Amino acid sequence: MNNPHKNSIKQLEKVAEILREQYDDKQLFDKAVEKLKSPDRIIEGTIRVKMDSGKTVAFKAFRSQHNNAAGPYKGGIRFHQDVTKEEVMALSTWMTWKCSVTGIPYGGAKGGVIVDPKKLSMSELEKLSRAYAKMIAPYIGPWMDVPAPDVNTTGQIMAWMVDEYEKTALKRYKTYIENPIATFTGKPLLLGGSKGRMEATGLGGFHILEQLAKKLKMTPKNTTVAIQGFGNVGYWFAYYVYKAGYKIVGLSDSKGAIYNLKGLDPQKVLACKQAGSTIGNCSCGVKGCSNKGTKITNSQLLELKVDILAPAALENVINAQNAKSIKAKVVLELANGPTTPEADEILFKNKVIVIPDILANSGGVTVSYFEWAQNLQGYYWEKDLVLSRLKGLMDDAFFRMWQLKTQHKVSARIATYMSAVKKVVDIMILRGSI
Ligand code: GLU
């Protein structure tokens, strides 16, 4: 079994070996790296929800706060049946690096509840969200820890959490707390959300792809793309890639995958899904439906001979078992932790360029930062401004990575980690906190 937290430690150790020589005080550097191997704090509890049946069910819940040297802890909350404490710890570590990569003033955190939200009614989901917000209320705040959506959590869930957080704090402190809406990001627009947050992760990944394509001299119309996962991130990435003229030949969701060399239009596939079909199983009757082609399995999709493979679902899908069969030229990690360290080595040997998650999917948290900044200012930005600032930060992060990759002749992952980890270690040293 792949343990994502162990994987995150392996990644840190690998880059620390390279960075170590840049530090005069090696002992201090080693101490910082040791500290970064585990989260600062893990909040762990059981939340109870009275179900529609009248029965009370208990769910295990976590919030891992990894590091706050650069600013408040930041990261999403995941509702999924496969959540584990180790997974949440790893995801919080990756958030620290992700925020460092784009240079936004946050540390890293992540939350999770072991639950299959698809089995809950709307009112059960609301109760679960409120119970979780209540559990973490003492440990969050605009300058302490700022949660956001992640897998299976939405703007509506953030809205319930803001409300519950405000009520809980009011009860506890007998007075209104300052700026509760700046405590969560990824909120609906009506409740202080930011324009552009919805599409931010997919769009950020698209900006990275565009810069990479220039370096590799790939032109959209001659570049084939396969995307694993059709949630918010996968859909928006597909939307921009399609609009720019790339050829999407493979798409999948958790229930199946489809392959079509003529190209798939994500908007039409979405319309088909919204009409009740799944990917590869079209019965929608939507005019010009694009959800047609050869039905393949999720694992076949990963092994397609394409230029760009974008895993946009969960961890460990590219692992020691299938890495040798990956035929894509580029793996663009839109999910968090889709490639295990063993698979990473194999891909590197096979000259597959892997653009790591902490860079490729950092667009989401970047616009979360803009949302938080707008909430603190009480002044809201036009969409153009949000999107142009997103592009600016994504492009800069890409160029920093590319320069280090070329200079040190390392993989894109190592180059990205070099700048991310170094920045965090340097801040810890500056603070004298180690
Ligand atoms: N859950 C997203 C991620 O993994 C967004 C986090 C955020 O906006 O804080 O990057």
Side-chain angles (χ1 to χ4, degrees):
M1 233 336 233
N2 268 303
N3 177 330
H5 185 235
K6 285 204 176 123
N7 290 350
S8 73
I9 294 176
K10 275 190 208 160
Q11 290 164 337
L12 173 61
E13 282 172 343
K14 199 167 164 188
V15 77
E17 231 176 85
I18 305 172
L19 282 178
R20 197 170 188 268
E21 62 186 52
Q22 297 179 19
Y23 288 80
D24 293 333
D25 192 338
K26 310 251 186 277
Q27 247 185 329
L28 194 63
F29 174 77
D30 292 343
K31 262 174 99 176
V33 171
E34 225 20 67
K35 189 165 192 295
L36 287 163
K37 283 184 189 172
S38 40
D40 287 346
R41 167 161 70 180
I42 302 171
I43 300 124
E44 197 175 342
T46 304
I47 53 180
R48 287 183 174 75
V49 176
K50 192 161 181 207
M51 308 301 270
D52 296 347
S53 64
K55 217 173 105 194
T56 298
V57 177
F59 299 93
K60 197 100 195 84
F62 311 95
R63 179 82 182 160
S64 167
Q65 297 176 328
H66 176 255
N67 184 278
N68 65 349
Y73 299 105
K74 182 86 190 84
I77 299 160
R78 173 174 295 204
F79 287 175
H80 197 277
Q81 59 277 18
D82 297 335
V83 161
T84 62
K85 185 168 156 181
E86 286 71 28
E87 181 196 42
V88 176
M89 285 160 79
L91 289 162
S92 69
T93 312
W94 292 327
M95 283 309 299
T96 302
W97 312 140
K98 200 185 293 188
C99 295
S100 179
V101 165
T102 44
I104 58 178
Y106 291 132
K110 194 70 128 208
V113 179
I114 308 177
V115 60
D116 181 356
K118 291 182 183 123
K119 293 196 176 137
L120 301 183
S121 70
M122 203 60 166
S123 89
E124 290 165 344
L125 186 64
E126 175 175 353
K127 284 185 216 159
L128 181 87
S129 306
R130 287 185 180 278
Y132 182 78
K134 209 175 207 165
M135 176 185 121
I136 61 168
Y139 311 100
I140 60 173
W143 298 105
M144 200 178 348
D145 182 352
V146 184
D150 194 76
V151 174
N152 291 332
T153 46
T154 58
Q156 171 64 77
I157 290 176
M158 294 306 111
W160 289 325
M161 288 194 181
V162 168
D163 190 64
E164 192 62 36
Y165 168 66
E166 198 171 341
K167 280 186 190 148
T168 309
L170 183 62
K171 229 187 250 166
R172 183 166 297 136
Y173 306 116
K174 309 267 179 292
T175 175
Y176 282 99
I177 44 155
E178 218 174 290
N179 216 337
I181 62 162
T183 303
F184 291 84
T185 60
K187 302 178 297 289
L189 281 180
L190 282 174
L191 192 67
S194 175
K195 289 179 178 151
R197 176 63 185 86
M198 192 82 140
E199 55 267 55
T201 313
L203 177 57
F206 169 71
H207 290 318
I208 297 292
L209 171 64
E210 284 277 89
Q211 293 305 343
L212 181 72
K214 278 188 208 154
K215 296 281 180 203
L216 302 179
K217 301 198 177 13
M218 286 175 161
T219 53
K221 76 173 172 20
N222 297 317
T223 303
T224 53
V225 183
I227 304 164
Q228 184 241 358
F230 205 62
N232 175 275
V233 180
Y235 169 72
W236 281 106
F237 176 71
Y239 172 89
Y240 286 104
V241 161
Y242 179 81
K243 210 168 120 193
Y246 292 82
K247 204 161 158 198
I248 302 175
V249 297
L251 280 179
S252 77
D253 63 13
S254 58
K255 300 203 180 74
I258 190 171
Y259 175 66
N260 190 337
L261 249 187
K262 283 198 208 122
L264 299 158
D265 174 349
Q267 258 177 300
K268 288 184 180 155
V269 175
L270 183 70
C272 175
K273 273 193 73 157
Q274 282 167 346
S277 303
T278 55
I279 289 188
N281 279 315
C282 165
S283 56
C284 66
V286 172
K287 202 168 163 234
C289 172
S290 181
N291 187 3
K292 290 192 177 108
T294 315
K295 253 206 252 182
I296 53 173
T297 63
N298 253 289
S299 25
Q300 284 172 320
L301 179 119
L302 294 170
E303 296 171 14
L304 285 176
K305 193 170 184 306
V306 285
D307 297 303
I308 313 290
L309 171 66
L314 295 170
E315 296 96 85
N316 301 335
V317 291
I318 305 180
N319 46 50
Q321 282 77 48
N322 65 357
K324 280 191 213 81
S325 316
I326 301 292
K327 295 173 207 71
K329 290 188 190 129
V330 173
V331 172
L332 187 76
E333 295 186 332
L334 296 178
N336 290 310
T339 312
T340 65
E342 295 75 26
D344 209 31
E345 303 262 338
I346 299 171
L347 295 178
F348 186 65
K349 274 192 205 122
N350 290 348
K351 300 202 167 40
V352 179
I353 298 179
V354 182
I355 304 296
D357 45 6
I358 56 166
L359 173 61
N361 73 29
S362 59
V365 73
T366 300
V367 177
S368 272
Y369 163 51
F370 299 158
E371 181 177 335
W372 174 79
Q374 291 170 76
N375 294 154
L376 294 174
Q377 283 178 311
Y379 177 74
Y380 288 84
W381 312 351
E382 282 315 317
K383 191 165 177 179
D384 282 355
L385 181 63
V386 173
L387 297 189
S388 70
R389 286 184 171 165
L390 169 67
K391 178 164 166 47
L393 289 187
M394 296 304 298
D395 287 355
D396 286 352
F398 177 86
F399 294 134
R400 267 196 301 278
M401 176 282 283
W402 199 260
Q403 204 226 330
L404 282 171
K405 176 178 168 357
T406 318
Q407 188 188 339
H408 294 271
K409 297 189 174 47
V410 289
S411 69
R413 188 185 312 278
I414 294 285
T416 310
Y417 266 75
M418 280 173 76
S419 76
V421 174
K422 185 170 189 320
K423 209 184 288 170
V424 177
V425 169
D426 288 351
I427 299 173
M428 288 164 80
I429 293 175
L430 265 178
R431 282 176 174 267
S433 65
I434 27 165

